[in-house]
Amino acid sequence: MSGEQRLELEKFANKREEQAQRAQQQQPSGVPKKEPKKQDAPAVESKDWVEETPAGQKKILKPLDNGFHKVYLSKVVESAWYSFWEAQGLFQPRTEKDGSLKPKGKYVIAIPPPNVTGRLHMGHALALSLEDTLIRWHRMRQFSTLYIPGCDHAGIATQAVVEKQLARHPKDGKSKRQDFSRAEFVQLCQDWKGIYHQAINETIRRLGISVDWSREAFTMSPQLSKAVTETFVQLHSEGLIYRANRLVHWSCRLSTALSSTEIDHKELGGTTKLDVPGYDKKIEFGTLAYFKYPVEGSDQTIEVATTRPETMLGDTGIAVHPQDDRYKDLVGKTVQHPIIPYRKLRIVADEYVDREFGTGAVKLAPAHDYDDFKLGKKYDLPFINILNEDGTLNNNAGPYAGEKRFNARYGVIEELKKLGLYTRQEPSKMVVPICSRSGDIIEPLLKPQWWMRTEPLTKPAIAVVESGELVIRPEVQKRVYLQWLRDTGDWCLSRQLWWGHQIPAYYISIEGEDGGNDTNDDYWVCGRTEREAQEKAERQFPGKKVTIKRDEDVLDTWFSSGLWPFSTLGWPDKTSDLENYFPNTTMETGWDIVPFWVSRMVMFSLKLTGKVPFTEVFCHAMVRDRDGKKMSKSHGNVIDPIDIVDGISLDDLHQKLLNGNLAKSEVKKAEKYQKKAFPQGIPEMGADALRFSLLNTQSSNSYITIDMETMHRYRRFCNKIYQATKYVLGKLGNDFVPRESSALTGKESLPERWILTKMNIAAKQINQALEERDFPRSAQIIYQYLYGELFDIYIENSKSIILNGMPEEARSARDTLYTAIESGLRLLSPFMPFLTEELWQRLPRRPGDDTSSITIAEYPEYKSSFHDPRSEVAYELVLGCSKVIRSLVEQYTFNDIEVVYIAALNQTSYDTVSAQLSAIESLSPYSRYYKRLNFSILKPGETNPPGCAVFPVSADANIYLEVKDGIQDAAEEVKRLKVKVDKARRELIATDAFIANLSTVQGKDVAEPMQSAEMEKRDVEARLRALEESIKDLEEMIV
């Protein structure tokens, strides 16, 4: 099926769903509205609630007429349940008695470990809501389900935030990392981790996330550190990890190499001044500076251009295109460096050079530019590093040694002007790499580091995705994954930090000999312990006295994160968890880290375990604020999920900004946004409403926006569920005992058969939507079933049967009511765990059912015995008739007595209408209010009554209302109906086109949408015929 066809299919399904929802939820027009009951101001507030249930015990359920239970209060509903679930071990995998997996198998997610740098944000809340919905759904479907929690030490992120905190709040007079010993600083990071690790876990619990806390992991725990060491030692022994002096992304402010994920790329349209940490004045970027190099032994010069003039102090060559006639005679010659008198630069020819850019001659600083590095290697040019790690220039920069790099930029330009070599400058588009942690400008720096060869690992990682062994959704992220693996180079593993996994590599010194080359692997050994490394060093240099010193650098955080799916299960040890629950099933993550994390997990897993780490990757959208802006603490739009769950005042939002690490200018900016976005603060929403809102918002698009109004709407949905279930409990009565089974008795009324069919369809569609990871659709289906069908229709229509029906009828209605609400709560449970547990526990259990929690109750599945399309069609005809009658009487309201004709268009609909006439009358409010409706049923083929307004119910029936004495302007009425005719014709054309498109679909079952489309076509055709007939009658009335 093509992407266009799939899109059309989805649009059609959404259209049908929206139409059904509008039809069921539409407020009857023209009916005198009931005055809402006047409610006193709430006598209690959720903040006053005190939970009496001891932690870990089953919740003490207070009577529903208790002050705190009369209305839905999320804090009250959501209290106590999590500690009960946890104490009962309900989140641990459930297995057979012999310890083997359940017959349906396993379902495993290892949580993408949040960084211990701070509290969770809305992106985390979205991911956790998606993951927990899948976990709870599989748990209720009786899989052996494991959800592994944990945190990432986040090396550079944590160290940066701790250093920033020290700068603002010195400890014992010490404000810099260097003021402490390494062990002391690591302890500061551990203390920070302890605080925020606890806060993270508390948020996870408050959101109802059902992780197995007994298996909680941390990337720097002893077990996971063991996995890191084992991986490094093993891959080094195989030659996949090596030592080399190459360019890295260097942050002068943080004094460490960075990964690509820690760099923001700022696009400049031309000359722009930017703030750079450590400089009092803004620095100019986006300017292309032109200057000349004198050609040695002649009076010629060669002109070059650069946006980084200071790097000319590290120039060792000039490149031109071999076909560029301007420079053919200069190739092979040398130029004199104008500032470093002893340095000569060789002119080389290479097709890499773009003849149209600048002057067509490119200065080469191989130690300070990635492209220059490649040409430097190719032509054996000197690699001269001019940069110290703190951003000052070293002795290779000649007279500028000790200068800050950007101060030297202006100094170099002035010197070239004095020498008459500076020619001009012009604005130039460029991309400036900026450290996301410090705001510093990133510099390419030549530095000995540990690297990992990726080519031998990428090929298997590509193969498992191309073969379908590992599925990545959505499809666009699969393409991103494959493209990145095909293009990626070797991976720099070293980071110049103190917080992280210290690299298990040791440099060898030989007594009596000069120090070896730091980049030479021969002088390095790796070991799981220092003793093992010492033994390796002695074997490497037999007969010599050697000493070893461990590399002070730590590993890139992605290294330990890449082992997450199997290190959390005990690898490299052979544990039962590893045997039973590896590979994981689903990896749910943000699309932005697919290249940097997902690809590395796959590479590591295939190499170290021989298996894929998981069988599915599902990528969620990135969360943005209501204006579509990226979440940023400095913008003030980063929202703590707990502030939505509990609610928070505007003043308290402001206070949280002051307690953070923002600069004063950033605090003011953030406060301004908060005043605009949350003028009254954030009201209490509860975890269930938050989760349901996020699931409805999730999209295959790259970004989604947070909308508080959506959360308000779903909080109202929570209240509707709460109040409806309270009503059901009241109607069931305290002595009600459900039947042993929900199986049909055969005595159910038409409305009962209808709601059970709707329940069955909802179960089928929700399960299907979740299988397809279509979270919004699954949430919309359960919303429609509960709100639009169970609450607004069946509960309303069952009232009279329960109240006035025969005892057997009333009992049957109660049984159906119980089945419909109990199954509905189970359907909803993965989405709203707290509310469903609170209400499900109040319902009586069927005899023999001792299930302790809805968390482990069986999830409803489709049952063929409940499938009753005839009853569904029949009752919807009843509902449709009553709806059309309301609409017509509203439009043509003339007499105290209205005559209504129901014209059945086939024998089946005639039989249904005849049998259900009393139901149609009771559902037509005008029969109960100001007017009296006289109903008459027309048989199929019977002559239609003249002088009537007509409107089709469907292809099965039309409704006629006498209007001949009441229409004042028949011509105007004809004009109005012709507009409806035009609309119906357009709908018919669109439906025909959709059916034609569906008929070409291959590779997907389209029977259900085809059936729906054909039914819609029949209904539109019937509407068209009825409208044309009505126009004909009205035209005869025009004099």
Side-chain angles (χ1 to χ4, degrees), residues 745-797:
T745 64
K747 297 179 181 179
E748 288 80 8
S749 64
L750 179 61
E752 289 175 70
R753 298 197 300 275
W754 175 80
I755 192 60
L756 292 173
T757 297
K758 288 298 185 183
M759 178 191 78
N760 202 37
I761 291 172
K764 178 182 180 180
Q765 292 180 340
I766 292 170
N767 282 301
Q768 181 180 350
L770 289 175
E771 285 285 4
E772 296 172 356
R773 307 300 186 251
D774 191 342
F775 295 95
R777 177 163 166 73
S778 64
Q780 289 157 15
I781 293 165
I782 186 60
Y783 181 94
Q784 169 61 15
Y785 166 67
L786 289 175
Y787 207 128
E789 294 163 351
L790 178 57
F791 300 161
D792 278 6
I793 296 177
Y794 180 73
I795 285 182
E796 289 299 318
N797 297 351

Side-chain angles (χ1 to χ4, degrees), residues 122-123 126 621-625 629-631 703-706:
M122 291 302 292
L126 171 62
M622 296 294 100
V623 178
R624 294 198 166 185
D625 70 13
K629 292 181 180 178
K630 183 179 179 180
M631 297 291 194
Y703 302 98
I704 60 172
T705 56
I706 291 297

Side-chain angles (χ1 to χ4, degrees), residues 239 307 331 445 447 651:
T307 56
V331 175
L445 180 68
K447 190 170 179 62
D651 287 342

Side-chain angles (χ1 to χ4, degrees), residues 892 966-976 1034 1037-1038:
Y892 307 102
I967 291 183
Q968 303 298 320
D969 190 343
E972 187 64 28
E973 186 68 14
V974 167
K975 189 184 299 184
R976 188 178 68 84
L1034 287 167
M1037 297 169 60
I1038 299 174

